[in-house]
Amino acid sequence: MNILILGSGGREHALAWKLGASPLADKLYCAPGNAGIAQQAECVALDLADHAAVIAFAREKKIDFVVVGPEAPLCAGIVDDLEAAGIKAFGPTKWAARLEGSKGFTKDLCRANNIPTAAYQRFKGAAAAKDYVRKKGAPIVVKADGLAAGKGVVVAESVAEAEAAIDMMFSGGLGAPAWEIVIEDCLVGEEASFFALCDGENAIALASAQDHKRVGDGDTGPNTGGMGAYSPAPIMTAQMEARVMEEIVRPTVRALAKAGAPYKGVLFAGLMITAQGPQLIEYNVRFGDPECQVLMLRLKSDLLPALVAARDGQLKNFDLRWSSDAALTVVMAAKGYPGQYAKGTPIEGLDAAAQVEGVEIFHAGTVADGARILANGGRVLNVCATGRTVREAQARAYQAVDKIKWPDGFCRRDIAWRAVEREE
Ligand code: AMP
């Protein structure tokens, strides 16, 4: 099969690494890709917002299967357009991608189908939203509808903070003024990410992970796209996974099928494991980044037939094998991230780092300059490792990090601290 991966981050590098290892894969392309992906796939400079250009390229190169990494093209309907052009594509349709694109849509779907999630209300104006907050009290969570690259959520510790968040969102503090916000109860528990593969009718469990969103050690400082992750999440026991499949994932897939918009693709459930059981915080309609990287390291089976089966509605009785090892990734970012940072700084020592046992390095934001590798984004490298324990994976990943010579980069030194503490 000729395969085209859409995206340019560490997630897409991990997908290229895994799909490239499939005996079913012939030629692998990635658009736009990065310097690391270029070792696995031919990178092509396509604008993912230009669906006609993606379709023309896929036709020219006789692409059999397109795998879409990020949410923006999914929410813009790239799968609908590719399929309409007769090109098989992995991922949800624009309608089904509203699970990520609209918090209000997802909350209403949960309410209508008894899927456990925080109690909530939707608001189109600040006055009613503030009345609700004053009535409910704090802590309370204020969320802007629509994609906000992880910045559209404020967990307010006081009513005044919630009111300020409401004003900020409606007055354009997130770029454009929010057309709607959701206000919901604050859930208490431990967060975990859970991934399932869906074919429109059936869903099979993939694996769990936990990430570190804050930029600083000890989970301090501003939020980022993710500074590290590990899999599995210790809190996601087999019993808890079964509950999440039965109480959250399968009812969602059934509800969308019934609504005439079957969900195909990866369903990423952001969960809070509370004393009462799992509650849905949010859905994403694609693999997480950097969670995908650790999942791919633990997946023993061939990924390609699984993705094709999801697209073809053939997941029933499909089985995937996972390693019982732990996998961990440390994100190396440009100094200044998530604020201002420089691009174009040189990175050395990658080959030596990749020699460490159990280590795999995925590129998140790099560009090649002849034989040199330069940083080309905020999050730049994912230094990943597997091990029999989280501690072993962690030690290997940091051993590799220490071989990378990049004075303009930094990383957290405590990825997976909670899981390591549990092992002790
Ligand atoms: P989201 O973008 O919906 O995943 O929210 C971002 C983060 O905000 C989550 O990872 C949680 O840490 C936090 N959060 C969102 N909703 C809630 C909630 N209802 N209760 C507690 N924390 C929440």
Side-chain angles (χ1 to χ4, degrees):
M1 293 176 81
N2 293 332
I3 301 161
L4 170 62
I5 299 172
L6 302 183
S8 62
R11 166 181 50 210
E12 288 75 26
H13 191 181
L15 290 172
W17 175 78
K18 192 70 189 157
L19 292 172
S22 170
L24 300 170
D26 294 317
K27 182 85 184 162
L28 197 57
Y29 297 91
C30 186
N34 64 39
I37 296 174
Q39 293 160 11
Q40 258 94 30
E42 187 177 325
C43 293
V44 273
L46 291 175
D47 173 6
L48 302 190
D50 185 351
H51 296 187
V54 176
I55 290 167
F57 177 83
R59 286 210 172 111
E60 183 198 327
K61 299 295 181 187
K62 300 193 165 37
I63 298 295
D64 299 295
F65 196 52
V66 179
V67 177
V68 187
E71 62 276 20
L74 293 169
C75 291
I78 191 131
V79 168
D80 310 56
D81 291 344
L82 285 163
E83 291 280 351
I87 300 157
K88 282 191 180 194
F90 174 78
T93 59
K94 182 176 180 172
W95 200 97
R98 283 193 295 168
L99 278 184
E100 176 162 358
S102 167
K103 295 190 190 295
F105 171 78
T106 301
K107 295 296 286 190
D108 287 355
L109 182 123
C110 289
R111 184 181 275 164
N113 294 280
N114 291 321
I115 295 167
T117 190
Y120 73 102
Q121 212 154 301
R122 302 169 69 167
F123 296 95
K124 288 204 159 59
K130 287 183 187 173
D131 281 347
Y132 181 76
V133 161
R134 284 193 284 265
K135 200 174 79 207
K136 294 286 282 189
I140 194 149
V141 183
V142 184
K143 302 184 171 186
D145 202 85
L147 295 181
K151 298 186 187 79
V153 176
V154 173
V155 180
E157 298 299 335
S158 66
V159 169
E161 197 186 333
E163 288 181 329
I166 292 166
D167 282 335
M168 179 275 286
M169 289 177 189
F170 278 123
S171 65
L174 294 170
W179 73 283
E180 179 175 304
I181 64 170
V182 171
I183 300 184
E184 64 180 40
D185 290 0
C186 192
L187 297 167
V188 179
E190 183 170 338
E191 281 185 61
S193 302
F194 182 73
F195 298 83
L197 194 58
C198 309
D199 73 355
E201 213 175 303
N202 309 288
I204 61 169
L206 293 175
S208 65
Q210 276 171 319
D211 71 346
H212 293 270
K213 283 259 180 280
R214 302 298 190 98
V215 73
D217 283 9
D219 295 321
T220 55
N223 263 336
T224 69
M227 294 303 291
Y230 52 96
S231 174
I235 196 162
M236 292 298 292
T237 57
Q239 195 192 9
M240 188 58 74
E241 285 200 7
R243 276 191 75 174
V244 171
M245 287 301 289
E246 282 320 305
E247 296 173 22
I248 296 178
V249 173
R250 293 208 168 95
T252 301
V253 173
R254 276 199 298 271
L256 289 176
K258 212 167 120 202
Y263 187 91
K264 295 181 176 189
V266 170
L267 191 56
F268 166 175
L271 303 170
M272 187 73 85
I273 309 302
T274 71
Q276 288 74 42
Q279 300 261 339
L280 181 74
I281 296 178
E282 64 157 359
Y283 272 133
N284 295 307
V285 296
R286 32 80 194 176
F287 279 113
D289 186 345
E291 292 91 338
C292 180
Q293 291 81 314
V294 285
L295 258 54
M296 291 307 109
L297 284 176
R298 292 188 53 232
L299 178 60
K300 287 185 177 169
S301 309
D302 189 346
L303 177 66
L304 184 51
L307 300 191
V308 173
R311 147 66 179 74
D312 289 345
Q314 300 290 333
L315 272 186
K316 204 172 180 187
N317 305 323
F318 209 95
D319 205 18
L320 288 171
R321 285 179 310 116
W322 295 87
S323 164
S324 57
D325 282 358
L328 176 142
T329 181
V330 176
V331 171
M332 296 188 77
K335 276 184 186 162
Y337 174 81
Q340 296 285 323
Y341 55 82
K343 284 188 178 179
T345 56
I347 303 167
E348 290 171 12
L350 288 170
D351 290 342
Q355 298 300 315
V356 177
E357 192 179 352
V359 164
E360 201 64 52
I361 298 174
F362 297 123
H363 292 217
T366 60
V367 65
D369 171 34
R372 294 198 311 162
I373 299 289
L374 307 178
N376 193 39
R379 293 190 298 165
V380 172
L381 294 169
N382 304 139
V383 182
C384 310
T386 53
R388 274 156 301 176
T389 60
V390 182
R391 176 179 278 285
E392 186 177 57
Q394 187 194 49
R396 288 171 168 176
Y398 282 113
Q399 205 185 326
V401 162
D402 290 337
K403 290 185 188 294
I404 294 174
K405 297 190 182 69
W406 181 30
D408 300 286
F410 76 99
C411 66
R412 279 183 60 165
R413 300 296 311 191
D414 65 343
I415 297 304
W417 63 269
R418 210 178 269 116
V420 169
E421 265 178 16
R422 269 206 179 112
E423 279 178 356
E424 277 162 0

